[in-house]
Amino acid sequence: MTNMLFVIRRELAEYFATPVAYVFIVIFLALLGALTFFMGSFFGRGQADLSAFFQFHAWVYMLLIPAISMRMWAEERKSGTIELLMTLPLSLKQVVIGKYLAAVIFAAITLALTFPFWITVNYLGDPDNGIILAGYVGSLLMAAGFLAIGSFISALTKNQVVAFVMTTAACFVLIASGAPIVLGFFSGWAPAIVVDFIASLSFLTHYADISKGVLDLRDVVYFLSLIAVFLFANMLAVDRLKAE
Amino acid sequence: MSMIEIENLTRRFGAFVAVDHISFSVERGEVLGFLGPNGAGKSTTMKMITGFLAPTSGTVRVEGHDVQRDPIAVKECIGYLPEGAPLWADMSAGRFLEFIAGVRGLSGAARIDRIRDVVAKTQIGSILAQPIDTLSKGFKRRVGLAQALLHDPDVLILDEPTDGLDPNQKHEVRQLIAEMSEEKAIVISTHILEEVEAVCSRAIIIANGKIVADATPAELLARSDQHNAVSLQVEGDIDRARQLLQDLPAVSSVEVRHRNQLFVRPKGGAQILNDVGMAMRGHDITIDEIHIARGHLDQVFRSITTVPQ
């Protein structure tokens, strides 16, 4: 456990030692702000809640999470530091989970920096803060899910650009499978059970439930099991490919 | 018990056999030089010893721990400098050593002491605050070396430890290795043959994944056909001198180099200095200069590793 903490600390320090962290945070906040105010008409809705804000998270993550996850393993493999890391007295699990948790903590810090939205809506009206908190939990779970996928894909290649593009594509598929346009395409001819299955794969479906304030165990289990599956695949990938 | 025991170690990459059933052991106090042409399997073998790469078959034991069954215990015993000394570019050298110290289980005063010790030994005190990215090749190599020495391991595996260093730094690193050699088992890979003579107590040459020689540097030198050859510079009738030497029973060949220099190879590495001196006497030939060639390791290396296919 302490060894995993060393890995997490090193990774987090690396985010902030380079411009990566600052550029990411600024772009994330700016993009989310612009979407919330202009496309989500935060003020025009006349409602004291943050649904205008939360509805864009999936799409912003799709663009930006791959930018964090792409370097997680691809760079270690390319620069050879993976050899240093994997010959220290650390288990594969400690390294993979440690690196992953560092990325999740970084995403959580970024998300926490959206607090002015929360303050604003509380200043302007009297929102249900329970729903907002649930929205944050859901958003973080979604980010953690994308990061698990991204970390796995990053372990498959030495090329960060390939990792970025592949992860973006994977995120898009997982979001889009719950979008009305995709479900509409299937619902015309496919049996209801297939449509439900496709919808249930989507991050959007589960995220929408949580951000309505319904912290359903099934949605939480969905995200956690998805994370577990991809981290396990990540360990296999690192173990198989580390020396190539 | 040997510090490192390797039995029938084999590694395939698809159809290519990178390391082919090699066995050897290394004792405490030994500095083993691992030699071989590029791609011979040196680094692959080192990666298997350190637990980075799983062997296709065979076993590696370090201080009694099997690297397959108990990789963490093996990694705790070993200080490893991977090929090319990879380091995280964005970290400062000092932070990097602190991270390694943490993972190696050093804390409190021991941590400070050990870091101070390796920083002094590798002479990197002046660059600790700099990001590793901005360091010269020599400093990077020394930071990598400091990392390997940090937990004062019993076994050191150093893949080309002096690559990229200038002659002074090379000398310092070799001296450092020599100082530590008594209480540790050290394996270094290199293709600088003078390094083997300078620091190694034993040399293993591998080619095409197989061990082709396992001997002390002196024994390897003795395999050179130039070993104990006599080089002399004479004044007088050079052709006559050549004929006289050729007639000596212990001489295998005589070569004329330059105008008045002769190079005399003995049969079977015999000592022929005296015979050569005697043969020249009374024939109006004076010897200006004479010395014994020790043989060239790189020549032995070439002859061993370039076996006709």
Side-chain angles (χ1 to χ4, degrees):
Chain A
M1 192 59 212
T2 39
N3 273 351
M4 198 193 284
L5 285 179
F6 285 118
V7 175
I8 294 174
R9 255 194 8 216
R10 199 204 73 77
E11 288 286 323
L12 269 179
E14 194 163 283
Y15 286 117
F16 290 97
T18 58
V20 170
Y22 307 102
V23 169
F24 182 87
I25 289 171
V26 168
I27 298 295
F28 180 84
L29 295 179
L31 198 57
L32 210 50
L35 288 170
T36 305
F37 288 112
F38 297 114
M39 285 185 72
S41 48
F42 180 65
F43 293 121
R45 293 160 50 91
Q47 281 177 17
D49 65 20
L50 281 180
S51 57
F53 163 71
F54 282 121
Q55 65 176 314
F56 295 109
H57 280 207
W59 301 99
V60 173
Y61 284 147
M62 182 190 92
L63 267 181
L64 293 181
I65 289 282
I68 301 184
S69 67
M70 67 179 187
R71 55 197 293 282
M72 283 175 78
W73 289 100
E75 185 165 278
E76 300 269 8
R77 283 181 60 196
K78 181 131 192 161
S79 68
T81 45
I82 191 166
E83 190 167 353
L84 193 64
L85 194 59
M86 304 309 279
T87 51
L88 288 171
L90 296 165
S91 68
L92 182 61
K93 206 190 268 177
Q94 284 170 337
V95 178
V96 170
I97 296 179
K99 280 175 86 74
Y100 171 72
L101 286 181
V104 172
I105 292 168
F106 176 65
I109 292 170
T110 309
L111 189 60
L113 289 174
T114 61
F115 71 91
F117 285 102
W118 197 341
I119 292 173
T120 306
V121 80
N122 268 290
Y123 175 76
L124 293 175
D126 186 20
D128 184 339
N129 282 317
I131 293 179
I132 293 175
L133 187 63
Y136 272 109
V137 170
S139 176
L140 186 61
L141 279 172
M142 188 161 61
F146 284 140
L147 279 172
I149 295 166
S151 177
F152 164 66
I153 291 175
S154 175
L156 297 178
T157 174
K158 281 186 186 178
N159 187 317
Q160 295 193 36
V161 177
V162 170
F164 178 87
V165 173
M166 297 284 289
T167 307
T168 308
C171 291
F172 178 74
V173 168
L174 275 171
I175 294 172
S177 71
I181 189 162
V182 174
L183 295 179
F185 172 75
F186 283 103
S187 62
W189 50 274
I193 188 165
V194 174
V195 178
D196 285 350
F197 175 72
I198 293 168
S200 76
L201 282 181
S202 169
F203 272 36
L204 275 188
T205 314
H206 296 277
Y207 173 61
D209 289 349
I210 297 176
S211 58
K212 274 180 214 136
V214 190
L215 207 52
D216 191 329
L217 190 63
R218 275 174 302 179
D219 298 317
V220 176
V221 167
Y222 165 80
F223 282 114
L224 293 183
S225 49
L226 179 125
I227 290 166
V229 166
F230 276 97
L231 285 184
F232 182 68
N234 193 348
M235 281 186 231
L236 293 181
V238 170
D239 199 39
R240 284 294 289 275
L241 300 172
K242 63 187 177 186
E244 282 175 23
Chain B
M1 185 188 69
S2 300
M3 300 291 271
I4 305 173
E5 290 169 291
I6 291 171
E7 274 169 48
N8 281 319
L9 195 63
T10 301
R11 174 72 204 199
R12 281 176 225 277
F13 293 104
F16 174 67
V17 185
V19 174
D20 192 359
H21 293 92
I22 67 170
S23 304
F24 62 88
S25 55
V26 188
E27 311 291 333
R28 195 185 286 271
E30 268 190 310
V31 180
L32 174 68
F34 223 44
L35 293 162
N38 288 332
K42 299 182 301 256
S43 292
T44 308
T45 306
M46 290 185 148
K47 283 173 190 184
M48 287 193 280
I49 299 174
T50 54
F52 181 60
L53 191 63
T56 307
S57 66
T59 56
V60 175
R61 272 192 301 275
V62 179
E63 294 190 51
H65 306 291
D66 186 306
V67 75
Q68 298 273 80
R69 246 174 270 151
D70 198 356
I72 301 283
V74 168
K75 289 168 187 180
E76 277 168 356
C77 302
I78 294 180
Y80 178 40
L81 175 69
E83 186 181 15
L87 302 164
W88 289 288
D90 297 322
M91 281 181 116
S92 73
R95 281 285 168 84
F96 170 68
L97 290 180
E98 278 168 26
F99 165 70
I100 300 289
V103 173
R104 292 289 189 185
L106 296 165
S107 59
R111 184 169 102 140
I112 295 166
D113 280 356
R114 287 303 305 152
I115 291 180
R116 196 174 291 157
D117 183 47
V118 296
V119 165
K121 273 184 178 155
T122 54
Q123 301 178 356
I124 52 172
S126 59
I127 51 89
L128 283 183
Q130 282 187 39
I132 288 169
D133 214 11
T134 64
L135 299 179
S136 69
K137 207 175 166 192
F139 269 123
K140 282 182 188 163
R141 185 71 37 148
R142 283 187 278 165
V143 171
L145 202 56
Q147 165 274 128
L149 300 177
L150 197 54
H151 56 301
D152 198 14
D154 284 335
V155 175
L156 271 177
I157 311 281
L158 309 174
D159 203 342
E160 300 188 350
T162 60
D163 189 36
L165 302 184
D166 68 34
N168 294 334
Q169 294 165 342
K170 275 185 183 151
H171 177 74
E172 277 151 21
V173 168
R174 284 173 198 162
Q175 209 157 22
L176 183 61
I177 292 171
E179 278 165 24
M180 295 184 300
S181 64
E182 233 166 83
E183 73 258 28
K184 298 185 197 302
I186 304 176
V187 179
I188 65 170
S189 83
T190 179
H191 45 240
I192 308 165
L193 295 157
E194 61 183 83
E195 194 155 286
V196 177
E197 289 191 73
V199 295
C200 297
S201 59
R202 181 177 154 208
I204 284 183
I205 301 182
I206 64 173
N208 299 319
K210 291 192 176 78
I211 294 182
V212 289
D214 183 350
T216 65
E219 285 165 353
L220 284 178
L221 275 178
R223 294 192 190 186
S224 165
D225 67 345
Q226 295 182 10
H227 183 63
N228 282 344
V230 170
S231 162
L232 69 163
Q233 203 161 331
V234 294
E235 238 168 83
D237 186 349
I238 189 110
D239 290 326
R240 173 111 183 95
R242 188 195 145 115
Q243 196 52 52
L244 285 166
L245 291 170
Q246 192 70 70
D247 291 344
L248 288 173
V251 166
S252 84
S253 73
V254 180
E255 207 180 297
V256 179
R257 291 181 174 177
H258 311 298
R259 241 185 48 249
N260 54 351
Q261 199 173 21
L262 291 161
F263 192 78
V264 190
R265 289 193 172 88
K267 281 183 185 151
Q271 299 276 0
I272 53 164
L273 183 63
N274 258 333
D275 298 357
V276 170
M278 298 291 274
M280 296 295 99
R281 224 168 269 175
H283 292 281
D284 206 17
I285 297 168
T286 47
I287 299 173
D288 286 345
E289 190 191 307
I290 187 162
H291 70 264
I292 302 177
R294 296 173 54 238
H296 288 289
L297 211 45
D298 48 359
Q299 188 215 348
V300 178
F301 180 82
R302 265 203 309 278
S303 68
I304 292 177
T305 55
T306 52
V307 187
Q309 297 291 315

